[in-house]
Amino acid sequence: MVARSDRISARKVSGIPADGLPPSVVAVSLVTRARAVHRRPYGHAEVSWERTGEDLELRVVVPPNTTATVHLPTEPDAPTESGSGTHVLRCAFRAPADDMPPPNE
Protein backbone atom coordinates (compact mmCIF):
# COMPACT_ATOMS: atom_id res chain seq x y z
CA MET A 1 0.00 0.00 0.00
CA VAL A 2 1.24 3.49 -0.82
CA ALA A 3 0.35 6.32 1.56
CA ARG A 4 -1.43 9.35 0.13
CA SER A 5 1.56 11.65 0.66
CA ASP A 6 3.75 9.10 -1.18
CA ARG A 7 1.31 9.08 -4.10
CA ILE A 8 1.43 12.86 -4.32
CA SER A 9 5.25 12.85 -4.23
CA ALA A 10 5.37 10.10 -6.85
CA ARG A 11 3.18 12.15 -9.17
CA LYS A 12 5.46 15.14 -8.83
CA VAL A 13 8.66 13.13 -9.30
CA SER A 14 7.37 11.05 -12.21
CA GLY A 15 5.51 13.78 -14.05
CA ILE A 16 2.59 11.47 -14.86
CA PRO A 17 -0.71 13.09 -13.90
CA ALA A 18 -2.64 10.43 -12.01
CA ASP A 19 -6.16 11.73 -12.74
CA GLY A 20 -7.23 10.23 -9.44
CA LEU A 21 -5.58 6.86 -10.14
CA PRO A 22 -2.89 5.83 -7.62
CA PRO A 23 0.51 4.70 -8.89
CA SER A 24 0.97 0.94 -8.80
CA VAL A 25 4.76 0.93 -8.50
CA VAL A 26 6.99 3.65 -7.16
CA ALA A 27 10.73 3.53 -6.58
CA VAL A 28 12.62 6.71 -5.81
CA SER A 29 16.26 7.33 -5.04
CA LEU A 30 16.79 10.98 -4.21
CA VAL A 31 18.42 13.23 -6.79
CA THR A 32 19.79 10.57 -9.17
CA ARG A 33 16.81 8.51 -10.36
CA ALA A 34 13.08 7.90 -10.13
CA ARG A 35 10.54 5.49 -11.59
CA ALA A 36 6.75 5.32 -11.53
CA VAL A 37 4.14 3.15 -13.22
CA HIS A 38 0.48 4.15 -13.36
CA ARG A 39 -2.52 2.10 -14.44
CA ARG A 40 -4.31 3.93 -17.23
CA PRO A 41 -7.46 3.00 -19.19
CA TYR A 42 -5.38 1.59 -22.10
CA GLY A 43 -2.61 -0.05 -20.05
CA HIS A 44 0.36 0.94 -17.91
CA ALA A 45 2.11 4.26 -18.39
CA GLU A 46 5.66 4.34 -17.10
CA VAL A 47 8.29 6.99 -16.74
CA SER A 48 11.75 6.71 -15.28
CA TRP A 49 14.68 9.01 -15.30
CA GLU A 50 18.28 8.63 -14.29
CA ARG A 51 20.86 11.29 -13.85
CA THR A 52 24.52 10.52 -14.45
CA GLY A 53 26.79 13.48 -13.87
CA GLU A 54 25.57 16.20 -16.22
CA ASP A 55 23.39 13.89 -18.34
CA LEU A 56 19.74 12.97 -17.91
CA GLU A 57 18.12 9.91 -19.48
CA LEU A 58 14.34 9.71 -19.57
CA ARG A 59 12.56 6.44 -20.42
CA VAL A 60 8.86 6.67 -21.25
CA VAL A 61 6.51 3.74 -21.86
CA VAL A 62 3.28 4.82 -23.54
CA PRO A 63 0.29 2.43 -23.54
CA PRO A 64 -1.15 1.15 -26.85
CA ASN A 65 -3.37 3.55 -28.81
CA THR A 66 -2.30 6.59 -26.78
CA THR A 67 0.21 9.41 -26.97
CA ALA A 68 2.28 11.20 -24.33
CA THR A 69 3.54 14.76 -24.15
CA VAL A 70 7.10 14.76 -22.81
CA HIS A 71 8.71 17.89 -21.40
CA LEU A 72 12.50 17.78 -21.03
CA PRO A 73 13.98 20.12 -18.42
CA THR A 74 16.30 21.70 -20.97
CA GLU A 75 13.39 22.57 -23.30
CA PRO A 76 10.27 22.98 -21.12
CA ASP A 77 8.47 25.04 -23.77
CA ALA A 78 9.16 22.55 -26.57
CA PRO A 79 7.40 19.31 -25.60
CA THR A 80 7.83 16.12 -27.59
CA GLU A 81 4.85 13.99 -28.61
CA SER A 82 5.50 10.26 -28.24
CA GLY A 83 3.23 7.52 -29.53
CA SER A 84 2.69 4.02 -28.14
CA GLY A 85 5.80 2.09 -27.16
CA THR A 86 9.05 2.66 -25.28
CA HIS A 87 11.00 5.87 -25.86
CA VAL A 88 14.40 6.88 -24.47
CA LEU A 89 15.31 10.57 -24.53
CA ARG A 90 18.59 12.09 -23.37
CA CYS A 91 19.65 15.63 -22.66
CA ALA A 92 22.37 17.57 -20.90
CA PHE A 93 21.51 18.62 -17.37
CA ARG A 94 23.09 20.84 -14.75
CA ALA A 95 26.08 19.55 -12.81
CA PRO A 96 25.27 17.92 -9.43
CA ALA A 97 27.37 20.63 -7.77
CA ASP A 98 24.78 23.18 -8.99
CA ASP A 99 21.89 21.44 -7.22
CA MET A 100 20.17 23.08 -4.31
CA PRO A 101 21.37 21.72 -0.98
CA PRO A 102 18.96 19.59 1.10
CA PRO A 103 16.67 21.67 3.37
CA ASN A 104 18.62 20.78 6.53
CA GLU A 105 21.92 22.15 5.27
Side-chain angles (χ1 to χ4, degrees):
M1 174 184 261
V2 178
R4 178 165 171 70
S5 62
D6 291 342
R7 289 195 310 255
I8 293 167
S9 295
R11 290 180 204 154
K12 289 181 181 179
V13 170
S14 69
I16 298 176
D19 298 332
L21 300 173
S24 58
V25 178
V26 178
V28 176
S29 175
L30 295 177
V31 178
T32 60
R33 66 182 152 206
R35 178 176 176 261
V37 178
H38 295 270
R39 286 187 292 266
R40 310 303 289 180
Y42 290 97
H44 286 86
E46 179 179 339
V47 65
S48 61
W49 57 263
E50 183 166 4
R51 186 174 165 185
T52 307
E54 295 181 22
D55 296 317
L56 180 72
E57 180 177 290
L58 179 71
R59 182 176 176 268
V60 179
V61 179
V62 183
N65 302 313
T66 61
T67 60
T69 303
V70 180
H71 297 264
L72 293 173
T74 54
E75 300 178 36
D77 297 326
T80 300
E81 290 291 322
S82 298
S84 303
T86 300
H87 308 275
V88 177
L89 298 104
R90 293 177 181 87
C91 66
F93 200 61
R94 68 177 175 265
D98 295 334
D99 287 349
M100 294 177 57
N104 294 336
E105 289 187 12

